Each structure stands twice: as C-alpha cells, then as structure tokens.
Amino acid sequence: MDRTHDAASRVLVGTASWTDPTLIKCGRFYPKGCSSAEARLAFYASRFPLVEASSSYYGLPTPHNAQLWAERTPAGFTFNIKAFRLFTGHQTPLEALPQPVRDALGGWGKKNIYYKDMPAALREEMWRYFLEGIAPLRAAGKLGALHFQFAPWMMYSPVSKEHIAQCRARLPDDLLAVEFRHQSWFNERHAEQTLAFERELGVSNVVVDEPQGFANSIGAHWAVTNPALALVRLHGRNAATWNIKSAAASDRFNYDYRDDELEELAQRVLRLAQEASRVHVIFNNNFEDQGQRNAATLQRLLQRTLA
C-alpha cells in the first residue's frame, strides 16, 4: 500500500452540525419525509462518518441527548464536540447555565458571566456537567475531538496560555483540538511559539481555511501538533460576510467551495495525513447545503485516491 493510499484511508470528512435551520429549509439534503431528529441523524450518518456537534457550544451537552446520538448512528461513527462557550472565554448567558448553578450565583445581577468571574466551586460544577454530558459518547467509542474554539478577543498571553493548559489538565485522556481566532497567536513573532505550546500540551492545532486580513482570522498553518489527530476546519472564503452582524451564524459562512479549491485542499489534507494517525475535516460553511455538498465532493476526491 503506497503512502498516499494509506493517508487517504485515515481521513474522516463531515460538517459542523446536521440540523442548521437553513439546511433543513432548503430541502436539498434530507429526503422528503425525513423530518424527525432520529431520521435526520441516521440519514446524515449514512453519508458521512463524522460530524461536529456545535449545539454543545450554546448549551451543555446532556447525557440523554448523547446517548440518543450514540444509539442513532452506526458503529465507527464519530462526534466531535464543540466545547461549551464558558470554557472558551466567551460571554455566557445565565440562562444557558444549569439551574443549580444559576441558583448558586444568586444575585449576580447581570445577563452574562465569564469563566474568570465564576466562583471556583461553580467552575468545578460546570466541568462536571460537561463531562457527564459527553460520557455516553465516550462509552460508545464515538467521541472524537473536543473542539475548543477560543474567543476572538483571547490574545496570545501568559494568562491565555495558562487557561488553555488548565483546560488540557481537566481533560487529560481526551483529544483536544484548539482553534484560535486572534491573529496574535500566529503572527511572525508568535507562530512557532504557538505551535510549540500546542505540542507541549499534546493538543491538536486546528488548521483553518477562512478569509484573511481581519483581526479575528488567522492563516492556515498545516502543522501536526498531536500525531494522534489533525483537525482541518473550513469556514469558507467569503470576506464580505465574515464579520457581518446577523442572527444566523450560517450567514457568515455563506461560501460554496469550487471543485479546484477542493482539489487543492484534498492534496493538503493527504499530506497532513502522512503525519497524523487520523485527520478530521469539518466543513463549517453551513449555509443551506453548501457544507454537505462540498464535503461529499471532498470525500469523492479522497476515495478516488483509494481506488
């Protein structure tokens, strides 16, 4: 078996979410009559071996839902779980917290809270809830990476690095993938230091494809920092919508990759797979069925290598 063939066999392709409202509304991915949560996940899993559960960013995953996900997908299917927003430095609405935590905060008096402002005992509770929520997937052998997409204002600094190290320490036995959204992490001064830091922690650098020239965008650094997993996340290349204010996140990622762009990405992914035991490719251009169509094309390009 040649190296390219072997590399292609270790690449899993999927999309960020399988229930985006614009995907369902467009009517082009799910067949007619495929309208229940169970049917949609089963159909998605018949087309792709990997999905990113992005709902866990907005609200903590629950053991009940995680058990259903495990039961509704075939053996070998993989879920990447997006870390809850509190853990990644984002402002978190109190209404997104479990009721016992909200009650314990008492007279907080604000609509949102940040991780740094939460009492230590309640932080412990939040991590406990998160671990309980993903436990059924781990037990079923379907837990892939825990994806930490840090806030765009989280700059390269000793404080930020210490927080990331603490997240790693909380989850010592899991695959962690780290996505930065402030250019300071990969500017000329810090790029190599950032990759070295990720290697030291044993976390996977998230290779991003996204519009360039913004404070909240970084270049694609095709580097393996954990040989167990490389993660590529494709946001599209629509600079005009990258920072628009919209109620729907899918509006930001409205981009349909051309076949020649996917050909180039396939070659880069294959080179990455020669250094990592597994490569996950997630399409986050989740406007209507763009991500699913592009993911299917990339799968065909990679399968052609396996033929």
Side-chain angles (χ1 to χ4, degrees), residues 197-212:
F197 172 66
E198 291 177 313
R199 291 188 181 100
E200 179 185 351
L201 288 185
V203 301
S204 298
N205 171 61
V206 176
V207 181
V208 293
D209 187 75
E210 61 193 17
Q212 296 300 295

Side-chain angles (χ1 to χ4, degrees), residues 55-92:
S55 60
S56 50
Y57 166 80
Y58 298 99
L60 284 164
T62 66
H64 175 73
N65 282 345
Q67 184 63 42
L68 290 177
W69 293 349
E71 293 172 355
R72 292 170 176 176
T73 49
F77 190 82
T78 300
F79 289 87
N80 284 356
I81 302 297
K82 195 170 183 183
F84 184 55
R85 61 191 301 166
L86 183 77
F87 305 142
T88 52
H90 293 84
Q91 70 273 33
T92 303

Side-chain angles (χ1 to χ4, degrees), residues 56 60-64 66 81 83-84 87 98 123-139 143 146 148 166-176:
S56 50
L60 284 164
T62 66
H64 175 73
I81 302 297
F84 184 55
F87 305 142
R123 291 184 192 173
E124 294 290 334
E125 279 295 283
M126 293 301 297
W127 283 108
R128 183 180 64 80
Y129 277 112
F130 183 70
L131 287 168
E132 288 179 352
I134 62 177
L137 291 175
R138 183 185 288 109
L143 180 63
L146 301 179
F148 282 71
Q166 288 177 9
C167 292
R168 166 81 279 182
R170 296 271 184 181
L171 304 159
D173 300 321
D174 291 303
L175 289 171
L176 265 63

Side-chain angles (χ1 to χ4, degrees), residues 21 29 52 71 135 141 185 193 266 280 297:
F29 178 66
E52 177 187 293
E71 293 172 355
W185 291 92
Q193 295 176 42
H280 290 179
T297 299

Side-chain angles (χ1 to χ4, degrees), residues 102-290:
R102 292 166 62 182
D103 292 343
L105 283 170
W108 176 246
K110 299 178 183 178
K111 292 173 57 177
N112 299 313
I113 193 168
Y114 290 86
Y115 186 84
K116 63 182 178 63
D117 297 324
M118 183 171 279
L122 295 184
R123 291 184 192 173
E124 294 290 334
E125 279 295 283
M126 293 301 297
W127 283 108
R128 183 180 64 80
Y129 277 112
F130 183 70
L131 287 168
E132 288 179 352
I134 62 177
L137 291 175
R138 183 185 288 109
K142 295 184 175 182
L143 180 63
L146 301 179
H147 175 224
F148 282 71
Q149 185 188 48
F150 289 102
W153 48 83
M154 189 168 165
M155 301 175 62
Y156 184 99
S157 71
V159 172
S160 296
K161 291 171 72 175
E162 176 58 26
H163 176 72
I164 297 167
Q166 288 177 9
C167 292
R168 166 81 279 182
R170 296 271 184 181
L171 304 159
D173 300 321
D174 291 303
L175 289 171
L176 265 63
V178 172
E179 179 177 354
F180 295 111
R181 298 168 68 202
H182 193 280
Q183 61 183 0
S184 61
W185 291 92
F186 283 104
N187 60 23
E188 289 187 9
R189 181 180 178 186
H190 295 138
E192 289 305 317
Q193 295 176 42
T194 294
L195 293 173
F197 172 66
E198 291 177 313
R199 291 188 181 100
E200 179 185 351
L201 288 185
V203 301
S204 298
N205 171 61
V206 176
V207 181
V208 293
D209 187 75
E210 61 193 17
Q212 296 300 295
F214 301 92
N216 62 338
S217 62
I218 61 174
H221 293 265
W222 295 82
V224 174
T225 55
N226 180 354
L229 176 71
L231 177 59
V232 179
R233 207 155 178 264
L234 307 173
H235 296 292
R237 301 173 178 178
N238 191 340
T241 61
W242 184 241
N243 283 321
I244 62 170
K245 304 297 182 183
S246 173
S250 57
D251 289 341
R252 290 187 58 213
F253 310 112
N254 184 352
Y255 188 81
D256 198 356
Y257 282 93
R258 302 190 311 268
D259 285 357
D260 64 306
E261 292 173 325
L262 293 171
E263 284 269 14
E264 179 188 356
L265 287 166
Q267 295 307 308
R268 288 182 173 273
V269 166
L270 287 172
R271 288 195 290 271
L272 207 62
Q274 292 176 359
E275 302 179 49
S277 300
R278 180 71 69 187
V279 178
H280 290 179
V281 182
I282 293 289
F283 282 84
N284 191 46
N285 52 333
N286 58 340
F287 181 77
E288 297 186 348
D289 64 334
Q290 290 173 342

